[in-house]
């Protein structure tokens, strides 16, 4: 199994676990004299089994990531951390540029006028550069994911 396939499977398992959790909680209590729509004990058993499967898969994914190096020489673990950093920085810069953009929401000259504390153009340019670096790194990560098998 390729690493990318394992990542997709992990995502699917995580989705199923969240769904099972919701079903368990919804059926935790019921009106006296009625029966729950589903047996929470059975759902819990399914949850625990899937949770064990997901945990084992995550260990294999992490072990694989610890062994991989991207074509640019960066370890996969470093690349994943850098991708997260770039994503968070891009999000911050976009929010900063949006908030710093002057708005015409004054009704009279007596109202308080707000001015930007940063250059919106420069901040937007920084955000664009970060987004480009994020896309490039993400492509390298995806390429590596599709070209390497999952470690047993």
């Amino acid at each position: 199994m390729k690493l990318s396939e394992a990542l997709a499977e992990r995502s699917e398992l995580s989705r199923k676990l969240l769904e099972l959790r919701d079903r368990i909680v919804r059926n935790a209590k019921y009106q006296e004299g009625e029966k729950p729509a589903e047996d929470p004990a059975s759902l819990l058993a399914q949850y625990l089994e899937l949770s064990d499967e997901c945990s084992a898969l995550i260990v294999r994914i992490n072990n694989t990531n610890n062994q991989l190096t991207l074509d640019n020489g960066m370890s996969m673990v470093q690349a994943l951390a850098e991708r997260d950093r770039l994503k968070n920085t891009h999000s911050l810069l976009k929010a900063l540029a949006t908030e710093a953009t002057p708005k015409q929401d004054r009704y009279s000259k007596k109202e308080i006028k707000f001015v930007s504390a940063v250059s919106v153009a420069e901040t937007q340019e920084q955000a664009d550069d970060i987004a480009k670096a994020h896309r490039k790194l993400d492509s390298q990560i995806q390429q590596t994911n599709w070209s390497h098998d999952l470690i047993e």
Side-chain angles (χ1 to χ4, degrees):
M1 172 186 307
K2 295 292 183 191
L3 177 56
S4 56
E5 294 169 312
L7 292 168
E9 186 175 327
R10 179 190 66 185
S11 177
E12 179 65 17
L13 285 171
S14 295
R15 186 195 59 75
K16 286 180 181 179
L17 286 168
L18 285 173
E19 181 183 294
L20 276 170
R21 181 193 183 284
D22 289 344
R23 290 168 56 198
I24 291 166
V25 171
R26 278 196 315 264
N27 289 283
K29 60 182 176 183
Y30 56 95
Q31 187 173 346
E32 186 177 3
E34 300 288 323
K35 291 189 177 207
E38 296 181 272
D39 177 25
S42 172
L43 294 173
L44 181 58
Q46 289 176 43
Y47 180 92
L48 295 174
E49 184 179 326
L50 275 181
S51 182
D52 288 345
E53 185 180 332
C54 188
S55 180
L57 184 60
I58 289 170
V59 168
R60 291 180 63 199
I61 289 169
N62 288 343
N63 285 338
T64 302
N65 283 340
N66 284 332
Q67 301 289 323
L68 293 180
T69 302
L70 275 59
D71 289 341
N72 65 5
M74 185 182 285
S75 76
M76 178 63 86
V77 174
Q78 289 173 315
L80 293 172
E82 179 65 7
R83 183 179 66 179
D84 286 347
R85 185 190 71 77
L86 290 169
K87 180 181 173 187
N88 293 334
T89 302
H90 177 259
S91 176
L92 171 64
L93 290 171
K94 289 295 286 184
L96 177 61
T98 299
E99 192 60 36
T101 301
K103 297 172 187 75
Q104 298 299 329
D105 54 3
R106 294 188 326 157
Y107 297 104
S108 71
K109 294 200 180 253
K110 293 180 180 181
E111 291 184 62
I112 298 172
K113 180 180 179 181
F114 291 94
V115 294
S116 299
V118 297
S119 166
V120 174
E122 287 178 17
T123 303
Q124 186 60 54
E125 188 176 328
Q126 267 186 299
D128 292 344
D129 291 344
I130 295 286
K132 183 178 179 180
H134 178 270
R135 284 190 306 274
K136 182 178 176 184
L137 181 58
D138 189 58
S139 293
Q140 292 173 333
I141 290 170
Q142 296 304 323
Q143 179 183 0
T144 303
N145 287 344
W146 278 106
S147 62
H148 288 83
D149 291 324
L150 192 64
I151 293 175
E152 294 297 324

